[in-house]
Amino acid sequence: MKNNRGAIQKRQMQLLHYLKEKGFADVTQLSELLRVSPITVRRDLDELAGRGLVTRYFGGAKLAESAQEDDEPAYLETTTQHLAQKRAIARRAAEMLENGDTVFINSSSTALLIYPYIQDRSVLVVTNNGRSLLSQRAAGVELVLTGGEVYGDKQSLVGQFALDALSRITATKCILGVSGISVQGGITSRVIQETAINQMMLRRCSGPKIVVADYTKIGLEHNFFSGRLGDITHLITDTGADPQKLDSIRCAGITVDAVEPLEDS
């Protein structure tokens, strides 16, 4: 059966994760690990080498030096920068929620800011963001954590356990923060472990699929693919975003909302 792009991305993420742990591997090892043919492994390695993520050598590959660097920006940096924009984006996303919604929220610092703005509604939030436990929530907001391996300072929950939990839930809305969003690159992440979570949330959502991203993420493309632009329905960003880039996203059929920054009162 012919592989679709999602299966290829998942396999390549497994391959990169293995190389990140071991440093290097030969084609035979990777073929046995992934249960695919050596030809398929070579093709994956060639593609990853072309993206600068691995270095090829005869019979195998090693993780590229650039990919060995920490792939998660410092948690304090991501949670303290552009707060006025992120609050406005989170408030607008909260306005889209309705009574009875089951909402997926990923580990993004922008998505995490949504809780104070969900008021006077009964909503079930399903998230892999461990820091949601520390967020102040209104009485009507029920919280379900996926469980899974705890990754990084922002305490996101990843791995097969988290994926299995998500696969048994159908959400009515999905709110995802991303590292980059563009017409050509789709939605991408700096953190390889979180792409499979994002993909599963998109797949298991029956309603609006909303990306929340401040102006610094618009037009960017990072290494790890979470979905095509057509996999989402809405983008909420701020007025600092490049208007031409937003127009190109609108032309792809995405509803785009650019909000004014929300300063502290």
Side-chain angles (χ1 to χ4, degrees):
M1 183 174 66
K2 187 176 181 180
N3 281 332
N4 60 36
R5 189 61 192 168
I8 294 170
Q9 291 285 345
K10 182 178 180 180
R11 186 176 66 242
Q12 291 179 352
M13 286 189 291
Q14 291 174 318
L15 189 156
L16 284 169
H17 186 66
Y18 183 82
L19 290 178
K20 193 173 182 67
E21 288 185 341
K22 305 297 182 181
F24 63 91
D26 62 41
V27 169
T28 301
Q29 286 176 306
L30 295 170
S31 175
E32 293 173 354
L33 172 72
L34 301 173
R35 298 181 181 178
V36 295
S37 71
I39 293 175
T40 298
V41 171
R42 292 190 190 97
R43 186 166 57 240
D44 284 343
L45 291 175
D46 288 342
E47 181 176 335
L48 293 171
R51 291 159 56 190
L53 298 176
V54 304
T55 301
R56 294 281 274 120
Y57 58 80
F58 183 77
K62 64 180 181 179
L63 198 66
E65 289 186 9
S66 60
Q68 293 173 15
E69 300 171 357
D70 185 13
D71 57 2
E72 180 185 28
Y75 179 74
L76 285 178
E77 179 182 333
T78 63
T79 54
T80 56
Q81 289 186 335
H82 314 301
L83 267 178
Q85 290 85 354
K86 290 180 177 182
R87 289 193 186 104
I89 291 166
R91 184 174 70 172
R92 180 67 188 94
E95 290 171 356
M96 295 183 66
L97 302 184
E98 301 171 296
N99 268 325
D101 270 336
T102 296
V103 188
F104 286 147
I105 293 178
N106 73 347
S107 60
S108 130
S109 60
T110 303
L112 185 65
L113 294 172
I114 196 173
Y115 293 109
Y117 301 111
I118 308 175
Q119 299 291 332
D120 303 320
R121 276 160 290 174
S122 295
V123 172
L124 173 65
V125 173
V126 180
T127 182
N128 73 319
N129 196 325
R131 290 185 178 271
S132 292
L133 287 171
L134 305 177
S135 299
Q136 185 175 0
R137 302 183 303 277
V141 180
E142 296 183 67
L143 182 66
V144 173
L145 294 181
T146 62
E149 304 165 37
V150 180
Y151 175 79
D153 289 338
K154 65 179 179 179
Q155 298 182 3
S156 59
L157 304 171
V158 299
Q160 194 59 49
F161 193 97
L163 290 171
D164 288 346
L166 290 170
S167 71
R168 294 191 290 269
I169 300 169
T170 300
T172 55
K173 290 186 176 74
C174 177
I175 298 173
L176 299 183
V178 299
S179 300
I181 177 169
S182 67
V183 172
Q184 292 185 333
I187 56 177
T188 52
S189 175
R190 296 179 62 171
V191 181
I192 187 173
Q193 289 87 344
E194 296 182 356
T195 54
I197 299 293
N198 295 339
Q199 289 168 359
M200 182 65 77
M201 286 182 172
L202 289 171
R203 191 178 308 129
R204 297 295 304 169
C205 178
S206 63
K209 301 168 186 180
I210 306 154
V211 163
V212 289
D214 68 67
Y215 72 96
T216 64
K217 315 291 179 57
I218 308 304
L220 292 188
E221 181 177 351
H222 286 278
N223 288 330
F224 305 117
F225 176 84
S226 290
R228 297 179 178 86
L229 196 61
D231 292 333
I232 69 169
T233 59
H234 294 72
L235 166 64
I236 304 176
T237 186
D238 62 85
T239 51
D242 185 324
Q244 291 185 334
K245 292 176 181 177
L246 294 184
D247 283 343
S248 67
I249 292 173
R250 287 190 183 96
C251 289
I254 309 304
T255 299
V256 176
D257 193 354
V259 296
E260 292 286 347
L262 183 64
E263 301 291 351
D264 289 330
S265 55

